[in-house]
mmCIF file of all heavy atoms in Angstrom:
data_model
loop_
_atom_site.group_PDB
_atom_site.id
_atom_site.type_symbol
_atom_site.label_atom_id
_atom_site.label_comp_id
_atom_site.label_asym_id
_atom_site.label_seq_id
_atom_site.Cartn_x
_atom_site.Cartn_y
_atom_site.Cartn_z
ATOM 1 N N THR A 136 -12.103 -11.496 -13.314
ATOM 2 C CA THR A 136 -10.827 -10.773 -13.374
ATOM 3 C C THR A 136 -10.439 -10.585 -14.869
ATOM 4 O O THR A 136 -11.037 -11.203 -15.739
ATOM 5 C CB THR A 136 -9.687 -11.593 -12.720
ATOM 6 O OG1 THR A 136 -9.535 -12.824 -13.486
ATOM 7 C CG2 THR A 136 -9.980 -11.914 -11.259
ATOM 8 N N ALA A 137 -9.403 -9.796 -15.084
ATOM 9 C CA ALA A 137 -8.920 -9.604 -16.456
ATOM 10 C C ALA A 137 -8.412 -10.860 -17.043
ATOM 11 O O ALA A 137 -8.618 -11.189 -18.212
ATOM 12 C CB ALA A 137 -7.829 -8.485 -16.472
ATOM 13 N N ALA A 138 -7.735 -11.695 -16.183
ATOM 14 C CA ALA A 138 -7.193 -12.960 -16.684
ATOM 15 C C ALA A 138 -8.319 -13.864 -17.203
ATOM 16 O O ALA A 138 -8.172 -14.508 -18.255
ATOM 17 C CB ALA A 138 -6.454 -13.658 -15.556
ATOM 18 N N GLN A 139 -9.438 -13.872 -16.482
ATOM 19 C CA GLN A 139 -10.554 -14.721 -16.920
ATOM 20 C C GLN A 139 -11.018 -14.244 -18.315
ATOM 21 O O GLN A 139 -11.254 -15.075 -19.198
ATOM 22 C CB GLN A 139 -11.734 -14.602 -15.965
ATOM 23 C CG GLN A 139 -11.622 -15.639 -14.870
ATOM 24 C CD GLN A 139 -12.665 -15.367 -13.741
ATOM 25 O OE1 GLN A 139 -13.652 -14.692 -13.987
ATOM 26 N NE2 GLN A 139 -12.383 -15.905 -12.586
ATOM 27 N N LEU A 140 -11.197 -12.953 -18.493
ATOM 28 C CA LEU A 140 -11.649 -12.456 -19.802
ATOM 29 C C LEU A 140 -10.641 -12.825 -20.908
ATOM 30 O O LEU A 140 -11.025 -13.315 -21.954
ATOM 31 C CB LEU A 140 -11.852 -10.928 -19.767
ATOM 32 C CG LEU A 140 -12.947 -10.415 -18.842
ATOM 33 C CD1 LEU A 140 -13.071 -8.888 -18.999
ATOM 34 C CD2 LEU A 140 -14.310 -11.034 -19.171
ATOM 35 N N LEU A 141 -9.386 -12.628 -20.587
ATOM 36 C CA LEU A 141 -8.334 -12.895 -21.597
ATOM 37 C C LEU A 141 -8.277 -14.359 -22.003
ATOM 38 O O LEU A 141 -7.997 -14.701 -23.114
ATOM 39 C CB LEU A 141 -6.974 -12.448 -21.090
ATOM 40 C CG LEU A 141 -6.787 -10.918 -21.027
ATOM 41 C CD1 LEU A 141 -5.513 -10.578 -20.238
ATOM 42 C CD2 LEU A 141 -6.702 -10.328 -22.390
ATOM 43 N N ASN A 142 -8.540 -15.242 -20.978
ATOM 44 C CA ASN A 142 -8.406 -16.647 -21.261
ATOM 45 C C ASN A 142 -9.691 -17.305 -21.720
ATOM 46 O O ASN A 142 -9.665 -18.464 -22.202
ATOM 47 C CB ASN A 142 -7.846 -17.400 -20.008
ATOM 48 C CG ASN A 142 -6.425 -17.008 -19.748
ATOM 49 O OD1 ASN A 142 -5.556 -17.147 -20.633
ATOM 50 N ND2 ASN A 142 -6.110 -16.536 -18.553
ATOM 51 N N GLU A 143 -10.829 -16.612 -21.545
ATOM 52 C CA GLU A 143 -12.084 -17.282 -21.884
ATOM 53 C C GLU A 143 -12.890 -16.635 -22.989
ATOM 54 O O GLU A 143 -13.716 -17.297 -23.632
ATOM 55 C CB GLU A 143 -12.963 -17.372 -20.592
ATOM 56 C CG GLU A 143 -12.381 -18.363 -19.607
ATOM 57 C CD GLU A 143 -13.001 -18.246 -18.188
ATOM 58 O OE1 GLU A 143 -14.086 -17.682 -18.079
ATOM 59 O OE2 GLU A 143 -12.341 -18.684 -17.245
ATOM 60 N N CYS A 144 -12.693 -15.348 -23.240
ATOM 61 C CA CYS A 144 -13.513 -14.687 -24.280
ATOM 62 C C CYS A 144 -13.042 -15.116 -25.675
ATOM 63 O O CYS A 144 -11.855 -15.451 -25.864
ATOM 64 C CB CYS A 144 -13.368 -13.183 -24.180
ATOM 65 S SG CYS A 144 -14.291 -12.521 -22.732
ATOM 66 N N SER A 145 -13.956 -15.032 -26.641
ATOM 67 C CA SER A 145 -13.569 -15.322 -28.022
ATOM 68 C C SER A 145 -12.769 -14.173 -28.581
ATOM 69 O O SER A 145 -12.757 -13.071 -27.997
ATOM 70 C CB SER A 145 -14.850 -15.514 -28.860
ATOM 71 O OG SER A 145 -15.543 -14.255 -28.948
ATOM 72 N N ALA A 146 -12.076 -14.464 -29.694
ATOM 73 C CA ALA A 146 -11.296 -13.391 -30.324
ATOM 74 C C ALA A 146 -12.172 -12.205 -30.718
ATOM 75 O O ALA A 146 -11.786 -11.044 -30.582
ATOM 76 C CB ALA A 146 -10.612 -13.935 -31.575
ATOM 77 N N GLU A 147 -13.422 -12.520 -31.181
ATOM 78 C CA GLU A 147 -14.331 -11.421 -31.556
ATOM 79 C C GLU A 147 -14.688 -10.559 -30.366
ATOM 80 O O GLU A 147 -14.687 -9.349 -30.428
ATOM 81 C CB GLU A 147 -15.639 -12.003 -32.148
ATOM 82 C CG GLU A 147 -15.500 -12.662 -33.506
ATOM 83 C CD GLU A 147 -14.753 -14.000 -33.424
ATOM 84 O OE1 GLU A 147 -14.818 -14.680 -32.390
ATOM 85 O OE2 GLU A 147 -14.106 -14.352 -34.445
ATOM 86 N N GLU A 148 -14.948 -11.213 -29.225
ATOM 87 C CA GLU A 148 -15.332 -10.439 -27.998
ATOM 88 C C GLU A 148 -14.155 -9.553 -27.566
ATOM 89 O O GLU A 148 -14.366 -8.410 -27.191
ATOM 90 C CB GLU A 148 -15.736 -11.402 -26.882
ATOM 91 C CG GLU A 148 -17.082 -12.029 -27.120
ATOM 92 C CD GLU A 148 -17.352 -13.206 -26.207
ATOM 93 O OE1 GLU A 148 -16.412 -13.886 -25.734
ATOM 94 O OE2 GLU A 148 -18.558 -13.471 -25.926
ATOM 95 N N LEU A 149 -12.974 -10.135 -27.578
ATOM 96 C CA LEU A 149 -11.817 -9.349 -27.152
ATOM 97 C C LEU A 149 -11.583 -8.184 -28.079
ATOM 98 O O LEU A 149 -11.323 -7.045 -27.634
ATOM 99 C CB LEU A 149 -10.519 -10.247 -27.052
ATOM 100 C CG LEU A 149 -10.506 -11.300 -25.950
ATOM 101 C CD1 LEU A 149 -9.348 -12.244 -26.129
ATOM 102 C CD2 LEU A 149 -10.474 -10.645 -24.590
ATOM 103 N N ALA A 150 -11.634 -8.433 -29.365
ATOM 104 C CA ALA A 150 -11.422 -7.363 -30.379
ATOM 105 C C ALA A 150 -12.429 -6.268 -30.149
ATOM 106 O O ALA A 150 -12.111 -5.084 -30.187
ATOM 107 C CB ALA A 150 -11.484 -7.945 -31.755
ATOM 108 N N GLU A 151 -13.679 -6.653 -29.889
ATOM 109 C CA GLU A 151 -14.727 -5.669 -29.684
ATOM 110 C C GLU A 151 -14.412 -4.760 -28.487
ATOM 111 O O GLU A 151 -14.542 -3.559 -28.492
ATOM 112 C CB GLU A 151 -16.072 -6.430 -29.520
ATOM 113 C CG GLU A 151 -17.228 -5.651 -28.923
ATOM 114 C CD GLU A 151 -17.836 -4.630 -29.896
ATOM 115 O OE1 GLU A 151 -17.497 -4.697 -31.086
ATOM 116 O OE2 GLU A 151 -18.631 -3.794 -29.420
ATOM 117 N N THR A 152 -13.967 -5.414 -27.373
ATOM 118 C CA THR A 152 -13.601 -4.640 -26.174
ATOM 119 C C THR A 152 -12.444 -3.677 -26.481
ATOM 120 O O THR A 152 -12.524 -2.500 -26.111
ATOM 121 C CB THR A 152 -13.175 -5.608 -25.056
ATOM 122 O OG1 THR A 152 -14.278 -6.441 -24.705
ATOM 123 C CG2 THR A 152 -12.693 -4.876 -23.784
ATOM 124 N N PHE A 153 -11.401 -4.177 -27.140
ATOM 125 C CA PHE A 153 -10.219 -3.335 -27.373
ATOM 126 C C PHE A 153 -10.589 -2.147 -28.290
ATOM 127 O O PHE A 153 -10.034 -1.061 -28.169
ATOM 128 C CB PHE A 153 -9.069 -4.138 -27.997
ATOM 129 C CG PHE A 153 -8.587 -5.260 -27.168
ATOM 130 C CD1 PHE A 153 -8.026 -6.428 -27.723
ATOM 131 C CD2 PHE A 153 -8.717 -5.272 -25.755
ATOM 132 C CE1 PHE A 153 -7.584 -7.459 -26.944
ATOM 133 C CE2 PHE A 153 -8.321 -6.328 -24.964
ATOM 134 C CZ PHE A 153 -7.759 -7.439 -25.561
ATOM 135 N N TRP A 154 -11.505 -2.421 -29.233
ATOM 136 C CA TRP A 154 -11.906 -1.359 -30.154
ATOM 137 C C TRP A 154 -12.818 -0.366 -29.513
ATOM 138 O O TRP A 154 -12.609 0.845 -29.504
ATOM 139 C CB TRP A 154 -12.471 -1.973 -31.443
ATOM 140 C CG TRP A 154 -13.026 -0.903 -32.303
ATOM 141 C CD1 TRP A 154 -14.332 -0.663 -32.623
ATOM 142 C CD2 TRP A 154 -12.280 0.115 -33.002
ATOM 143 N NE1 TRP A 154 -14.425 0.458 -33.438
ATOM 144 C CE2 TRP A 154 -13.178 0.948 -33.678
ATOM 145 C CE3 TRP A 154 -10.916 0.428 -33.081
ATOM 146 C CZ2 TRP A 154 -12.778 2.045 -34.442
ATOM 147 C CZ3 TRP A 154 -10.514 1.548 -33.825
ATOM 148 C CH2 TRP A 154 -11.443 2.338 -34.500
ATOM 149 N N ARG A 155 -13.845 -0.912 -28.852
ATOM 150 C CA ARG A 155 -14.848 -0.039 -28.310
ATOM 151 C C ARG A 155 -14.321 0.866 -27.174
ATOM 152 O O ARG A 155 -14.537 2.062 -27.168
ATOM 153 C CB ARG A 155 -16.028 -0.864 -27.768
ATOM 154 C CG ARG A 155 -17.139 0.073 -27.263
ATOM 155 C CD ARG A 155 -18.266 -0.583 -26.538
ATOM 156 N NE ARG A 155 -18.968 -1.492 -27.434
ATOM 157 C CZ ARG A 155 -20.009 -2.250 -27.012
ATOM 158 N NH1 ARG A 155 -20.392 -2.170 -25.775
ATOM 159 N NH2 ARG A 155 -20.593 -3.015 -27.810
ATOM 160 N N TYR A 156 -13.565 0.277 -26.249
ATOM 161 C CA TYR A 156 -13.146 1.075 -25.082
ATOM 162 C C TYR A 156 -11.718 1.644 -25.225
ATOM 163 O O TYR A 156 -11.330 2.459 -24.395
ATOM 164 C CB TYR A 156 -13.226 0.212 -23.799
ATOM 165 C CG TYR A 156 -14.619 -0.213 -23.487
ATOM 166 C CD1 TYR A 156 -14.842 -1.510 -22.985
ATOM 167 C CD2 TYR A 156 -15.728 0.611 -23.718
ATOM 168 C CE1 TYR A 156 -16.119 -1.940 -22.714
ATOM 169 C CE2 TYR A 156 -16.992 0.182 -23.399
ATOM 170 C CZ TYR A 156 -17.217 -1.088 -22.883
ATOM 171 O OH TYR A 156 -18.485 -1.526 -22.631
ATOM 172 N N GLY A 157 -10.966 1.138 -26.201
ATOM 173 C CA GLY A 157 -9.593 1.635 -26.368
ATOM 174 C C GLY A 157 -9.336 2.240 -27.732
ATOM 175 O O GLY A 157 -8.281 2.780 -27.965
ATOM 176 N N GLU A 158 -10.342 2.134 -28.620
ATOM 177 C CA GLU A 158 -10.133 2.589 -30.018
ATOM 178 C C GLU A 158 -8.780 2.066 -30.535
ATOM 179 O O GLU A 158 -8.034 2.797 -31.188
ATOM 180 C CB GLU A 158 -10.238 4.090 -30.132
ATOM 181 C CG GLU A 158 -11.692 4.556 -29.920
ATOM 182 C CD GLU A 158 -11.842 6.044 -29.975
ATOM 183 O OE1 GLU A 158 -10.904 6.766 -30.318
ATOM 184 O OE2 GLU A 158 -12.956 6.488 -29.668
ATOM 185 N N GLU A 159 -8.486 0.828 -30.175
ATOM 186 C CA GLU A 159 -7.198 0.218 -30.558
ATOM 187 C C GLU A 159 -7.277 -0.232 -32.012
ATOM 188 O O GLU A 159 -8.090 -1.113 -32.319
ATOM 189 C CB GLU A 159 -6.900 -0.978 -29.601
ATOM 190 C CG GLU A 159 -5.721 -1.810 -29.950
ATOM 191 C CD GLU A 159 -4.438 -1.046 -30.172
ATOM 192 O OE1 GLU A 159 -3.930 -0.501 -29.184
ATOM 193 O OE2 GLU A 159 -3.900 -0.979 -31.320
ATOM 194 N N LYS A 160 -6.451 0.357 -32.872
ATOM 195 C CA LYS A 160 -6.509 0.046 -34.294
ATOM 196 C C LYS A 160 -6.115 -1.407 -34.628
ATOM 197 O O LYS A 160 -6.624 -1.994 -35.539
ATOM 198 C CB LYS A 160 -5.627 0.991 -35.059
ATOM 199 C CG LYS A 160 -6.089 2.438 -35.046
ATOM 200 C CD LYS A 160 -5.462 3.207 -36.150
ATOM 201 C CE LYS A 160 -5.925 4.668 -36.126
ATOM 202 N NZ LYS A 160 -5.312 5.455 -35.033
ATOM 203 N N SER A 161 -5.248 -1.982 -33.789
ATOM 204 C CA SER A 161 -4.841 -3.360 -34.038
ATOM 205 C C SER A 161 -5.641 -4.339 -33.181
ATOM 206 O O SER A 161 -5.207 -5.470 -32.922
ATOM 207 C CB SER A 161 -3.346 -3.546 -33.679
ATOM 208 O OG SER A 161 -2.575 -2.527 -34.256
ATOM 209 N N ALA A 162 -6.876 -3.951 -32.829
ATOM 210 C CA ALA A 162 -7.687 -4.784 -31.943
ATOM 211 C C ALA A 162 -7.803 -6.237 -32.396
ATOM 212 O O ALA A 162 -7.594 -7.169 -31.614
ATOM 213 C CB ALA A 162 -9.062 -4.155 -31.827
ATOM 214 N N ARG A 163 -8.121 -6.419 -33.699
ATOM 215 C CA ARG A 163 -8.294 -7.808 -34.182
ATOM 216 C C ARG A 163 -7.035 -8.623 -34.119
ATOM 217 O O ARG A 163 -7.031 -9.785 -33.691
ATOM 218 C CB ARG A 163 -8.748 -7.747 -35.638
ATOM 219 C CG ARG A 163 -10.246 -7.667 -35.778
ATOM 220 C CD ARG A 163 -10.692 -7.673 -37.195
ATOM 221 N NE ARG A 163 -12.060 -7.207 -37.206
ATOM 222 C CZ ARG A 163 -13.096 -7.919 -36.808
ATOM 223 N NH1 ARG A 163 -12.912 -9.163 -36.386
ATOM 224 N NH2 ARG A 163 -14.293 -7.406 -36.813
ATOM 225 N N ARG A 164 -5.985 -8.027 -34.549
ATOM 226 C CA ARG A 164 -4.713 -8.749 -34.561
ATOM 227 C C ARG A 164 -4.227 -9.104 -33.153
ATOM 228 O O ARG A 164 -3.739 -10.187 -32.879
ATOM 229 C CB ARG A 164 -3.596 -7.937 -35.283
ATOM 230 C CG ARG A 164 -3.828 -7.896 -36.795
ATOM 231 C CD ARG A 164 -2.614 -7.432 -37.564
ATOM 232 N NE ARG A 164 -2.244 -6.065 -37.208
ATOM 233 C CZ ARG A 164 -1.049 -5.663 -36.823
ATOM 234 N NH1 ARG A 164 -0.035 -6.566 -36.804
ATOM 235 N NH2 ARG A 164 -0.779 -4.429 -36.538
ATOM 236 N N ILE A 165 -4.460 -8.205 -32.228
ATOM 237 C CA ILE A 165 -4.076 -8.473 -30.800
ATOM 238 C C ILE A 165 -4.931 -9.577 -30.264
ATOM 239 O O ILE A 165 -4.457 -10.519 -29.600
ATOM 240 C CB ILE A 165 -4.188 -7.172 -29.969
ATOM 241 C CG1 ILE A 165 -3.142 -6.161 -30.435
ATOM 242 C CG2 ILE A 165 -3.979 -7.484 -28.481
ATOM 243 C CD1 ILE A 165 -3.372 -4.758 -29.911
#
Side-chain angles (χ1 to χ4, degrees):
T136 63
Q139 272 170 21
L140 296 182
L141 289 168
N142 290 308
E143 290 166 20
C144 288
S145 65
E147 290 71 29
E148 287 166 333
L149 290 172
E151 165 73 11
T152 297
F153 301 153
W154 173 247
R155 184 187 296 179
Y156 298 141
E158 291 177 8
E159 171 54 67
K160 292 199 181 74
S161 311
R163 271 181 196 287
R164 287 195 297 130
I165 294 167

